[in-house]
Amino acid sequence: MKTQYIKSLLVVAVATLTFSCGEDFLEETPTQYVSISDVGETGEIYPGILAGTLSGLFNSMYTTGTGGTTDHADFGQKGNDIYSDFLSGDLALTANNYNRYSNFAALLVTVDNTFTRANYSAWRYYYRIIGSANKIIDALGGNDATITDSNKTTMGQAKAMRAYAYFYLTQLYIPEYTPTSKVLPLYINTNGDALEQSETQVVYAQMIDDLEQAATLLEGYSRAELFEVNEDVANTLLAYVYGSMDTNATDILARDLAEKVIANSGLPITTKAETIGGFNSVETPSWLWGADITTDTGLDLISWWGQMDIYTYSYQWAGDKKAIDQGLYDQIKDTDQRKIQFATQADIDDEVNQLQDSDLLIPFKKFYNAGRVRGGQRVIEDDYIYMRIDELYMLSAEMNAKIGAEEDAKTRLKQILAERFDSAADYAYVDTLTGQALIDEIYLQTRIEFFAEGKSLFALKRNKANVVRGTNHLYLAGEVIPYNDDRLTLEIPLLEVQNNPFIN
């Protein structure tokens, strides 16, 4: 059943608060956050204030303009998912009528920090999340506070969200994990002072500490809504953090956490039918983290659905076409259920689908509004997915393959493939794979499985792979681009460089 979100003061705050390092964000007591007036005579924090602020933090994940722009690609986490999928090369811009992504898909934005698109909007969005989380953490006594009461959940979620934001910043702004490289300022309180860039290993240590504490604080917590962070979400984020560090020891830790989430959550693998079911409902049993979008949310043209769904009135329908990379599509076996997700010429010729020639290879049967009327959905009611349990199966398989536990890797991979093929004979080849061939196959299946879900860039970097742009890309078709190419990493925005004296 759809539920109406609580609208908190933070939704108003995100329209005005800046978390760059200039004087414009040094607001001593922002009225939109917890202040001294929210504290009782005995020092307690009124729980309703914290709950509202935390709810607003979650709401900002899907609110338009939370990256500080009016750009139609600026709509929270799912907007940044599209950017990262373009960077991975698996998402191809195949038609460009409105220029919403042309400069980004051509990799011009990522080498020019004067572009606010992506460079500025992603930076501001994630640092806003960090700023909001820090407000909550400080209100509860700070980073080292011992929480034993009902505020454990609030503190756990705030620390998890802070780490979530830093993790995405590392994936978008740092080419690869290099311990002593310096890119990100590390803010863990609200004192308002501009900071120099911390070493990457210091940022990672903070993420790990936050997520370990979050998992402990959230242990046993039963959330009311899927948009909230619970122990499994915190451990999944931690697994991704460890997996991105690329050492044998951290691969083992990532594998162990993935296995823990699989066991603890009890969630089923996405079924064969669900792979072509629209990916549009938080009621899907395999979803681990997502947002229940209602008409009260107020999303329409500027939304993930608007950018990706042919049956929503917006850009995918109107002419900015986003499709699967031709080379990736060609590697999907004909007997694989996931191949049905993408529009072929036969699908275009079938009038029932209401497709056009320019719709070739769009994911029209993976992501769609259930009404299936071309341009039909105006106000968005379809939900947002952030994580599903299948990610942990594939991450466990990848980490097991990398540490040499190949039979365990094959078991997890085949559990996913059993729900993608009708016959075990179709994926029996997995049993013959060893070494790098097995790792490569898991990487390929990860790209196919999570196409356009914001996970492909993580996998590209973990596997230190090359992007090979297929023939259907409007820009740079056929080009081979290494995972650590400067063009695949966002630039620290010019405004941040100008406002923070420690960044040059």
Side-chain angles (χ1 to χ4, degrees), residues 325-341:
D325 173 86
Q326 180 74 58
L328 178 58
Y329 175 80
D330 290 344
Q331 294 181 78
I332 305 175
K333 294 182 180 298
D334 290 340
T335 52
D336 188 333
Q337 171 84 345
R338 295 167 298 185
K339 199 153 193 172
I340 301 172
Q341 295 172 337

Side-chain angles (χ1 to χ4, degrees), residues 170-201:
T170 65
Q171 299 306 288
L172 290 170
Y173 291 89
I174 300 174
E176 59 187 318
Y177 179 75
T178 305
T180 58
S181 65
K182 291 187 176 183
V183 177
L184 302 175
L186 181 63
Y187 296 96
I188 58 171
N189 56 49
T190 58
N191 65 19
D193 295 332
L195 298 178
E196 64 180 335
Q197 295 151 293
S198 294
E199 289 187 345
T200 299
Q201 62 188 347

Side-chain angles (χ1 to χ4, degrees), residues 159-172:
K159 288 195 170 185
M161 288 301 291
R162 182 169 68 183
Y164 142 82
Y166 276 120
F167 176 66
Y168 275 86
L169 286 168
T170 65
Q171 299 306 288
L172 290 170

